[in-house]
Amino acid sequence: MAKKQKDSSLYRVQPGDCLFSIAQKLLGSGDRYPEIKALNGMTTDILLPGQRIRIPSASRYAVGADQEILAQQHGREEKSVDSGDGENG
């Protein structure tokens, strides 16, 4: 589980979000939505507003602090997950 936390961040689902749109905004391509689905162990594509899901940090476009900036630009809340190793301050 520690690796999952270290290699991901949390995202709060907003009204109107879908896996494709989240992947497009945060990972640079909507086609990467299966990565989000797999990381969260999802068996359906259904998301509920307020739900928290993990987003892979290993992105071509946003990693670490850059991912938080990208989320803020899109008016989304996103927080890095503290892996307990002291790296996330």
Side-chain angles (χ1 to χ4, degrees):
M1 181 81 169
K3 182 169 177 55
K4 184 182 279 190
Q5 288 180 345
K6 187 174 182 179
D7 294 340
S8 65
S9 57
L10 287 177
Y11 174 79
R12 185 186 308 257
V13 176
Q14 302 297 308
D17 276 347
C18 68
L19 288 169
F20 186 91
S21 67
I22 293 169
Q24 189 169 13
K25 290 174 190 169
L26 300 178
L27 300 177
S29 172
D31 293 332
R32 294 186 64 192
Y33 81 89
E35 295 175 45
I36 298 171
K37 194 171 175 179
L39 182 63
N40 289 279
M42 297 173 69
T43 57
T44 71
D45 293 346
I46 296 172
L47 296 173
L48 300 173
Q51 179 179 354
R52 289 179 176 258
I53 58 173
R54 294 196 177 280
I55 305 296
S57 293
S59 162
R60 291 179 286 237
Y61 300 98
V63 176
D66 292 340
Q67 204 166 21
E68 185 175 342
I69 292 168
L70 180 62
Q72 289 170 357
Q73 289 173 345
H74 291 282
R76 306 294 196 219
E77 176 186 329
E78 180 171 22
K79 297 178 183 175
S80 295
V81 175
D82 185 358
S83 62
D85 61 8
E87 289 183 21
N88 289 339

